[in-house]
Amino acid sequence: MEPRRRERQVIAVAGAAALVAVGLNIAFSAVAAHRRRKRQELPGFTAQVNLSPAEIKKLADRIIAKAKETYDSVAAVPLDKVSFANVVAPLAELDALQFPLVQACVLPRMVSTSEDVRKASAEAEKRLDSHFVLCRQREDVYRVIKAFAVKGERIGPEATRFLQCLVKEFERNGVKLSQSKGKEMEKLKCHIDELNLKYLQNLNDFTKFLLLSEDELAGMPFEFLKDLEKAEGKLKVPLTSYHVTPILEHCKVGSTRKQVAVAYGQKGGKDNLAILENLVQLRHKFARLLGYANYADFAIEPRMPRTSRKVLEFLEEISEQLSDVANRELSILKDLKMKEEGNAHVGMEDLLYYIKRAEEFKVDLDIGEIKQYFPVSLVISGMLKMFQDLFALRFDETKDAEVWHDTVRVFSVWDASSSDLLGYFFLDIFAREGKYCHTCVVTLQNGCLCSNGTRKVPAAVLLSQCPKEFDGNSALLRFPEVVRLFHEFSHVVHHISNRVTFSKFSALRLEGDFAEIPSLLLENWCYESISLKMMSGFHQDITKSITSEACQSLKRRRDLFAGLKMKQEILLCLVDQIIHSSENVDIDNLIKELHPKVMLGIPLLEGTSPASCFPRIAIGDDAVCYSYIWSEVFAADLFVSKFKDDLLNQHAGLRFRNKVLAPGGSKDSLEIITDYLGREPSLQSFIQSRTRNSL
């Protein structure tokens, strides 16, 4: 989905919805009409994608001005005159109208070839984000919304959910606080932001290195060694993940692995540990100001588990259920170490190395050869065909739509049976200078029903950095890149499949836990022969798809030592959850105590401080590190229960599209999945599917 950063929730509240619609559309058409005359229109799509710096600034100005005007209008509604027509309907309408305009301002930061355009876009995004935060803190607007909520007018389930979400978001932004407490909250937020940046800056500024001889680096590939600088007769090894991970995987010298692991584990040092401890206390103060017992409960309240206690129970249960298989995996590693080094004591510095050795014994797979079967063009065409077949969709390429670069392709999406237009997606998958450097999905427009009865259709962009064709030959993708593309395109289909009334409930504006479940579910198709063959073909003869044996090896490689790998992730999630749900925790001591309990007796590597170099806890995933594991468990249950025995069953795919994807955020996500499964989700499918091939 969108890049891992604080999600922009465009909460727009307004009065006279019709006037707002006219005002915004006239304002925008003035700066883009000349382009629309030259390009093919996309029915139901209003976002513009090719603005100049001046147009971006002008549009941002108009969005902010019109929003302020309509907020003032809502605030002026007498409390005894509130109604659906003058409170809820205008809020929903403005959100639907503003979202594609906002995205027209901020998308260029990620895709434009012009530095001036990217700069203007970044400035606009900053201004708009600040504006929307202020909108959510307007007590006068909240008072009107709350008055309508208290009135108890019957407005239907989706409208009721929309109203409840609005009330809660205003309250979570401190609108109920006194003036003095509101100022205190703002100071806390500023202090937290400063410490977040300082924590990351300390990691980015870390430039230490080790000097190691070639003998100390025995086992490292020649390609790795030849790129290292020399100093004092030795090789200079920077302590970056780019260098550390290969050493921990390939270096035969146990003392070197330990030396490197310890040095890298001290990356943030005492400074970052102190920063994290301070951050945790400030977050607790922030949450208590808003009436929560602790920061974890504040962070988790809008997500699927709802409470920190539920998350802790989940993590402890899955850790316990993985213990048997993880112990068997650890025994294999101990045997390998005994044979190679003469002792069976496995430390944290040994895990990657011996897992890699075990993979070589247990998986017959040449990664370099596998790459030859994934030309970019074939992966894309096969992926599109499979999603069409599975979900009863039709993708038609549109040749003359306006785009921001000549390599971008545009597709309309149709229901295969009814021929209804469902939405659009843009494929911007090739690398170029100035472009955002990761694979992700960016929303351009949300699907929703407008007050005049027309429907805005969803639209999204798939961004990636695939290599371009060379001498007429399609470039090749590594298998992890294939999986990533597939995962992200699943978000595109999720977004386009939604059929909600309110823009706020569009698929990519869901709570984080639920948003990842469909994509993690669909990743399974990348490890099954019938579907993987559809996306593969030898680059010199595409009629020769990847072999069934290679497909099985890829799946086995994914699942090998799943217990131990997951245990490491669970450990960090537990630390994150405990420190954000408890007061005055000594983080270093907590990790030392938890480590051998979770990791089957393996102690924390002496001299390391994971809390000082784990940025997910410091910023971005604070108190919600559990989310990815949670989503994986739900995805595994859905796959095993509904798809595993018939991967291309269109009836099953269509039912999933209608029951799980279409509702978006208009219903409680746990309720959606429980209704679809016909029962509560279970850990067992995940445990069984991921550990069946783990040894």
Side-chain angles (χ1 to χ4, degrees):
M1 63 181 299
E2 301 202 27
R4 288 190 175 273
R5 56 178 168 78
R6 187 170 53 200
E7 183 181 4
R8 184 188 310 106
Q9 295 291 335
V10 184
I11 312 283
V13 284
L19 292 177
V20 172
V22 171
L24 284 173
N25 286 336
I26 289 175
F28 192 68
S29 62
V31 298
H34 64 288
R35 292 196 182 96
R36 290 202 297 270
R37 285 195 298 270
K38 295 178 181 179
R39 296 289 189 172
Q40 181 175 333
E41 293 281 353
L42 299 178
F45 177 68
T46 59
Q48 294 297 305
V49 296
N50 207 12
L51 302 180
S52 69
E55 290 170 339
I56 290 171
K57 183 180 184 304
K58 186 178 292 185
L59 180 57
D61 289 342
R62 291 180 184 274
I63 290 170
I64 291 171
K66 186 58 65 175
K68 183 181 184 306
E69 177 186 328
T70 53
Y71 269 69
D72 292 343
S73 177
V74 167
V77 175
L79 299 185
D80 61 345
K81 301 291 185 182
V82 293
S83 67
F84 181 89
N86 63 19
V87 178
V88 178
L91 311 186
E93 188 78 0
L94 188 63
D95 188 26
L97 290 167
Q98 280 201 323
F99 188 84
L101 305 184
V102 171
Q103 296 305 90
C105 289
V106 303
L107 175 68
R109 176 181 65 83
M110 305 178 75
V111 301
S112 178
T113 56
S114 165
E115 184 176 352
D116 289 340
V117 171
R118 294 197 301 271
K119 182 179 179 182
S121 177
E123 290 172 352
E125 181 176 31
K126 185 176 180 179
R127 289 178 59 214
L128 290 168
D129 279 346
S130 297
H131 162 69
F132 293 129
V133 169
L134 292 175
C135 289
R136 292 194 291 269
Q137 293 176 336
R138 284 192 57 167
E139 192 273 337
D140 54 349
V141 177
Y142 168 75
R143 188 168 57 247
V144 173
I145 297 170
K146 187 67 174 179
F148 178 73
V150 171
K151 186 178 178 181
E153 183 177 319
R154 297 181 65 179
I155 55 176
E158 189 173 340
T160 299
R161 184 171 174 83
F162 177 79
L163 177 62
Q164 291 169 344
C165 289
L166 275 180
V167 170
K168 179 57 67 174
E169 292 210 32
F170 272 83
E171 291 174 355
R172 285 172 64 84
N173 278 276
V175 74
K176 291 174 67 176
L177 299 178
S178 66
Q179 187 174 11
S180 62
K181 287 189 175 181
K183 290 181 178 178
E184 183 182 355
M185 187 186 82
E186 289 305 309
K187 287 181 180 178
L188 283 171
K189 287 167 67 176
C190 289
H191 196 182
I192 287 170
D193 287 343
E194 290 171 3
L195 291 178
N196 284 339
L197 293 175
K198 181 61 177 174
Y199 186 102
L200 293 179
Q201 191 64 49
N202 286 344
L203 293 179
N204 292 334
D205 290 345
F206 185 80
T207 57
K208 291 184 179 180
F209 57 87
L210 295 175
L211 294 177
L212 299 170
S213 67
E214 288 196 23
D215 287 343
E216 289 174 307
L217 290 169
M220 297 306 297
F222 172 75
E223 291 76 12
F224 179 89
L225 296 175
K226 72 180 178 64
D227 290 336
L228 298 176
E229 296 179 22
K230 290 189 176 181
E232 301 176 23
K234 292 191 175 184
L235 297 172
K236 183 178 178 180
V237 180
L239 292 172
T240 66
S241 59
Y242 179 79
H243 295 88
V244 169
T245 300
I247 290 174
L248 295 180
E249 287 184 335
H250 297 287
C251 184
K252 294 181 178 181
V253 184
S255 59
T256 299
R257 295 196 302 272
K258 186 170 184 177
Q259 183 182 1
V260 170
V262 170
Y264 188 69
Q266 297 171 339
K267 190 173 180 180
K270 293 181 179 179
D271 287 348
N272 266 11
L273 181 61
I275 288 172
L276 182 59
E277 289 176 340
N278 197 359
L279 270 172
V280 170
Q281 295 309 311
L282 292 174
R283 288 168 182 159
H284 283 315
K285 287 181 182 179
F286 176 86
R288 286 196 298 271
L289 270 179
L290 294 172
Y292 296 86
N294 53 64
Y295 182 74
D297 279 347
F298 166 78
I300 296 168
E301 181 195 46
R303 304 174 79 95
M304 289 179 74
R306 304 301 181 208
T307 67
S308 176
R309 181 178 177 181
K310 179 72 172 178
V311 172
L312 284 168
E313 290 173 352
F314 166 77
L315 292 172
E316 289 166 356
E317 182 180 1
I318 193 171
S319 180
E320 181 180 352
Q321 292 202 27
L322 285 168
S323 290
D324 285 346
V325 70
N327 263 312
R328 294 196 297 273
E329 293 167 354
L330 184 57
S331 294
I332 292 173
L333 301 188
K334 288 179 177 179
D335 289 343
L336 288 174
K337 186 171 183 182
M338 175 61 75
K339 292 176 182 177
E340 185 165 326
E341 297 187 46
N343 76 82
H345 174 73
V346 172
M348 291 303 294
E349 72 277 13
D350 298 318
L351 288 182
L352 283 179
Y353 178 77
Y354 284 104
I355 286 175
K356 197 75 173 177
R357 299 291 77 72
E359 285 181 356
E360 292 170 358
F361 291 129
K362 293 176 175 290
V363 180
D364 182 16
L365 189 66
D366 184 331
I367 295 298
E369 181 182 346
I370 289 294
K371 182 178 179 179
Q372 308 299 312
Y373 286 86
F374 294 113
V376 175
S377 58
L378 194 59
V379 170
I380 295 298
S381 62
M383 178 177 73
L384 298 186
K385 175 173 171 46
M386 201 182 72
F387 276 95
Q388 290 176 91
D389 291 348
L390 179 60
F391 292 118
L393 300 170
R394 189 180 85 243
F395 302 156
D396 291 340
E397 186 164 8
T398 301
K399 292 294 185 182
D400 296 321
E402 184 171 16
V403 293
W404 50 92
H405 193 268
D406 58 11
T407 61
V408 177
R409 300 169 68 190
V410 184
F411 292 81
S412 56
V413 181
W414 308 80
D415 184 285
S417 57
S418 69
S419 294
D420 289 340
L421 175 66
L422 300 181
Y424 301 95
F425 64 87
F426 295 68
L427 293 183
D428 185 358
I429 64 171
F430 294 110
R432 62 177 178 270
E433 185 177 356
K435 183 181 172 184
Y436 183 72
C437 61
H438 298 291
T439 300
C440 68
V441 172
V442 180
T443 310
L444 284 180
Q445 181 169 287
N446 290 327
C448 60
L449 190 64
C450 297
S451 59
N452 62 7
T454 62
R455 173 167 284 277
K456 284 186 178 292
V457 296
V461 183
L462 175 61
L463 295 178
S464 192
Q465 286 280 14
C466 298
K468 297 178 182 178
E469 292 185 354
F470 182 74
D471 286 342
N473 296 316
S474 181
L476 304 176
L477 294 177
R478 294 180 298 111
F479 182 68
E481 293 171 330
V482 174
V483 176
R484 186 65 180 168
L485 269 176
F486 199 88
H487 177 103
E488 294 302 322
F489 189 72
S490 300
H491 285 304
V492 171
V493 172
H494 188 180
H495 180 60
I496 288 174
S497 296
N498 92 77
R499 300 297 289 170
V500 298
T501 299
F502 292 87
S503 170
K504 182 176 179 58
F505 297 139
S506 181
L508 295 188
R509 300 174 77 182
L510 300 172
E511 55 196 38
D513 307 326
F514 186 42
E516 288 299 319
I517 290 173
S519 288
L520 288 170
L521 159 68
L522 289 160
E523 270 189 28
N524 285 284
W525 274 251
C526 294
Y527 296 93
E528 301 292 339
S529 295
I530 189 172
S531 44
L532 198 53
K533 287 176 182 287
M534 293 175 66
M535 299 187 290
S536 65
F538 189 61
H539 70 106
Q540 293 178 338
D541 181 1
I542 62 172
T543 63
K544 297 180 179 178
S545 63
I546 192 171
T547 66
S548 298
E549 292 75 19
C551 295
Q552 292 169 5
S553 294
L554 286 167
K555 185 175 184 179
R556 184 161 174 74
R557 185 170 182 264
R558 178 197 68 176
D559 295 340
L560 270 178
F561 297 93
L564 280 172
K565 292 174 184 175
M566 185 64 70
K567 281 274 194 177
Q568 294 179 75
E569 184 70 16
I570 289 169
L571 172 65
L572 294 171
C573 293
L574 281 169
V575 172
D576 171 56
Q577 203 57 217
I578 291 170
I579 65 176
H580 285 114
S581 60
S582 307
E583 291 283 352
N584 302 315
V585 176
D586 185 317
I587 299 176
D588 259 358
N589 282 340
L590 172 66
I591 297 175
K592 288 176 183 176
E593 291 175 8
L594 275 180
H595 204 287
K597 293 178 182 178
V598 177
M599 293 304 300
L600 310 172
I602 302 175
L604 177 68
L605 192 57
E606 189 173 350
T608 62
S609 177
S612 72
C613 50
F614 186 49
R616 284 176 57 198
I617 290 182
I619 181 171
D621 286 340
D622 36 291
V624 296
C625 286
Y626 76 89
S627 182
Y628 199 78
I629 298 176
W630 176 281
S631 300
E632 279 193 299
V633 167
F634 278 65
D637 197 359
L638 290 169
F639 178 68
V640 171
S641 303
K642 301 296 183 179
F643 292 101
K644 187 175 183 297
D645 296 330
D646 193 355
L647 290 169
L648 300 181
N649 185 320
Q650 190 174 95
H651 175 75
L654 189 56
R655 185 170 182 270
F656 182 77
R657 190 184 114 195
N658 291 331
K659 295 290 186 180
V660 179
L661 304 184
S666 64
K667 297 180 180 178
D668 179 81
S669 50
L670 187 57
E671 179 183 326
I672 288 173
I673 292 179
T674 300
D675 287 349
Y676 176 70
L677 288 172
R679 56 170 171 76
E680 290 286 330
S682 167
L683 282 174
Q684 293 309 309
S685 295
F686 174 78
I687 300 295
Q688 293 171 8
S689 63
R690 284 304 174 87
T691 61
R692 184 180 294 115
N693 298 313
S694 70
L695 297 173

